[in-house]
Amino acid sequence: TGIPNRALFRDRVKHAIARGARTGFAPAVLFLDIDNFKAVNDGLGHVAGDELLCIVANRLHAVVRTSDTCARLGGDEFGVLLEESAEGPGTDQVGDAAAGAAHVAERMIASLKRPCPVGGTEISVSASIGIAVIDPSEDDIDVLRNADVAMYRAKASGKGCYQVFEPTMHEAVRSRLSLETELRRGVENCAAGAASPFVLHYQPIASLATGEVKTIEALVRWQHPTRGLVPPLEFIPIAEETGLIITLGRWILGEACRQTREWQSQSPNAADVGITVNISARQLAEPQLVSDVAAALHTSGLQPELLTLEMTESLLVDDSAAMLARLGALKALGVRLAIDDFGAGYSSLRYLDRFPVDLLKIDKSFIDHLGGPKRESPLARAILGLGRELGVQVVAEGIETAGQWSRLRALGCELGQGYYLSRPVPAHAVPALLEARPGA
């Protein structure tokens, strides 16, 4: 990349700490990590990934002053040392230094948003940045750790942003590490066939015309011994980052298929009811996903056409040959493919011609004002029309009122899902839903 490495960066941070103690200036360190860098390597190849690292290095170097140090710390991580991020010694050196570093971070984020020519195409990237103002009582390891902690807080806040380190973040990191350890233990129990701490809850997707349940979405929960029922937003991102989602996702697939077959054996109303399972980015990137799905179908005996694999629209930014082949192999098994949160993520529609999609789920944000006094979004109608032109089914997500249900039915929407029909329920409550026709 043509910029310093970690060893030189640490040496300069040590000198900055000593200089700050003498002069009263408060230097700052920025720790930057490229968001979703693995997708570039997997989708475009490692040569393209190397090109991107060089582009990022050049753009970061262009943002800082000649007196500052920009370094590649390893992988897709970069560090920036701002020797004097405040104007001069004063009563609020830490606050001034943090504000100055934040201004630099904003310029870096803006610079990286410009299209990057890599792998014969142009891509846009974002980065998460952690900022730590140097305290003379700390050493270089403490400073880098603090900036790293802040960077992970930025990632947890939605990526493509920055966070300034605060001491309270250490407690959050300790809590996360504890949660990760417990999560790993639970997932290992699943893999070993021991008692699983995870349970599936199920939310029906019903015909808007009749209220008849057509399929059921499986949603994982973690039954923690002290925290109670942990919602997926608290542990799925950790499972994604650590790769535990591969094993956990395999268990979810198997359990959802097994449970559906059990309902079929218990009730004639369940004979043709399908099951929908969410597939994460990490799972979709793994070639073994196809064999995992095939194994879940074979072991349970579930008909392939009753299984729908649901993925978010943003995952389809990767339209590589490998991804297309994987989706084709899944379709060859006989399962259905659905796009979740349609219209809220990936901006290009060209993937609809390339990917074998069976079903689109309209994002809840387009449903909220339907059937009410406020102006409704025309995008719900547009997506319904697109579905009809493409010959794919459309599901309206997040239906919460009778007015939304009626309006969607009038617009010709075929299927709906949301709290108006039912909240997610345990497996034992599903047979009653099949009898009740929840939205009718």
Side-chain angles (χ1 to χ4, degrees):
T1 57
I3 59 176
N5 60 12
R6 177 183 286 270
L8 179 56
F9 187 73
R10 283 186 57 186
D11 183 66
R12 292 191 179 177
V13 171
K14 289 176 185 177
H15 285 288
I17 293 171
R19 189 162 47 252
R22 292 194 310 270
T23 64
F25 282 101
V29 165
L30 284 71
F31 194 107
L32 180 146
D33 184 270
I34 302 173
D35 298 324
N36 303 317
F37 181 71
K38 184 178 185 296
V40 176
N41 271 339
D42 291 345
L44 299 177
H46 289 276
V47 172
D50 290 346
E51 289 180 20
L52 179 58
L53 291 175
C54 292
I55 291 172
V56 170
N58 288 333
R59 292 190 183 180
L60 296 182
H61 192 263
V63 167
V64 301
R65 299 166 299 189
T66 55
S67 59
D68 299 324
T69 300
C70 179
R72 179 176 172 232
L73 305 181
D76 61 334
E77 295 176 340
F78 293 82
V80 176
L81 170 63
L82 303 179
E83 294 279 1
E84 297 175 2
S85 50
E87 292 301 322
T91 57
D92 187 19
Q93 267 292 295
V94 173
D96 291 346
H103 179 63
V104 174
E106 289 172 352
R107 287 161 54 200
M108 289 178 174
I109 291 169
S111 176
L112 293 177
K113 283 183 179 178
R114 301 199 313 270
C116 300
V118 296
T121 186
E122 286 193 341
I123 63 171
S124 294
V125 297
S126 65
S128 299
I129 302 176
I131 299 171
V133 177
I134 292 177
D135 184 329
S137 66
E138 298 174 328
D139 61 21
D140 60 300
I141 295 176
D142 294 327
V143 173
L144 287 175
R145 180 199 61 203
N146 293 345
D148 190 24
V149 166
M151 183 274 292
Y152 274 105
R153 176 61 66 88
K155 279 198 180 293
S157 300
K159 303 180 180 179
C161 62
Y162 68 86
Q163 289 284 332
V164 179
F165 173 78
E166 298 176 1
T168 54
M169 289 182 180
H170 275 310
E171 181 55 41
V173 169
R174 281 194 292 270
S175 177
R176 185 196 183 281
L177 288 173
S178 174
L179 195 66
E180 180 183 327
T181 299
E182 293 172 309
L183 179 64
R184 187 176 300 279
R185 190 179 301 121
V187 171
E188 287 172 352
N189 285 343
C190 286
S196 172
F198 304 101
V199 295
L200 296 184
H201 283 195
Y202 300 90
Q203 189 175 34
I205 298 172
S207 163
L208 292 178
T210 66
E212 180 183 6
V213 175
K214 295 296 186 181
T215 188
I216 297 168
E217 183 173 357
L219 301 164
V220 68
R221 305 288 188 265
W222 182 8
Q223 189 64 61
H224 193 277
T226 58
R227 300 171 188 254
L229 202 62
V230 182
L233 283 177
E234 292 187 23
F235 67 91
I236 290 297
I238 299 176
E240 282 267 335
E241 291 174 18
T242 58
L244 292 171
I245 194 66
I246 304 300
T247 304
L248 179 58
R250 188 180 300 124
W251 177 85
I252 293 169
L253 270 168
E255 176 62 15
C257 292
R258 182 203 65 77
Q259 182 61 70
T260 305
R261 286 291 292 137
E262 185 174 311
W263 290 325
Q264 290 178 347
S265 67
Q266 292 173 346
S267 169
N269 291 327
D272 297 321
V273 171
I275 188 74
T276 296
V277 177
N278 292 282
I279 299 298
S280 75
R282 287 292 289 269
Q283 287 176 279
L284 198 58
E286 290 289 329
Q288 69 195 68
L289 174 63
V290 178
S291 58
D292 287 345
V293 174
L297 292 169
H298 175 75
T299 302
S300 65
L302 182 69
Q303 304 97 304
E305 64 271 15
L306 294 183
L307 173 62
T308 299
L309 302 178
E310 186 174 304
M311 61 205 79
T312 60
E313 187 179 17
S314 59
L315 300 187
L316 302 181
V317 65
D318 176 11
D319 60 354
S320 63
M323 179 65 73
L324 288 169
R326 191 164 304 127
L327 292 175
L330 289 170
K331 284 296 295 178
L333 293 176
V335 304
R336 306 175 77 221
L337 302 179
I339 304 301
D340 193 17
D341 301 330
F342 184 77
Y346 188 32
S347 61
S348 172
L349 295 178
R350 68 189 178 111
Y351 70 82
L352 290 177
D353 276 336
R354 296 168 61 82
F355 294 158
V357 175
D358 300 286
L359 188 144
L360 303 176
K361 298 184 79 173
I362 306 177
D363 186 70
K364 180 183 182 299
S365 62
F366 304 139
I367 304 300
D368 286 341
H369 298 317
L370 292 180
K374 294 185 178 180
R375 178 182 177 273
E376 64 185 39
S377 170
L379 289 176
R381 295 194 303 274
I383 294 171
L384 287 168
L386 182 63
R388 283 191 289 268
E389 289 295 322
L390 294 172
V392 300
Q393 287 186 305
V394 177
V395 178
E397 293 186 284
I399 301 176
E400 296 181 348
T401 68
Q404 290 170 345
W405 178 282
S406 299
R407 178 61 176 149
L408 286 161
R409 184 167 56 188
L411 290 173
C413 186
E414 188 175 348
L415 301 169
Q417 176 182 17
Y419 285 1
Y420 178 70
L421 286 77
S422 170
R423 291 177 177 269
V425 298
H428 66 78
V430 169
L433 286 177
L434 299 179
E435 296 278 356
R437 300 196 172 212

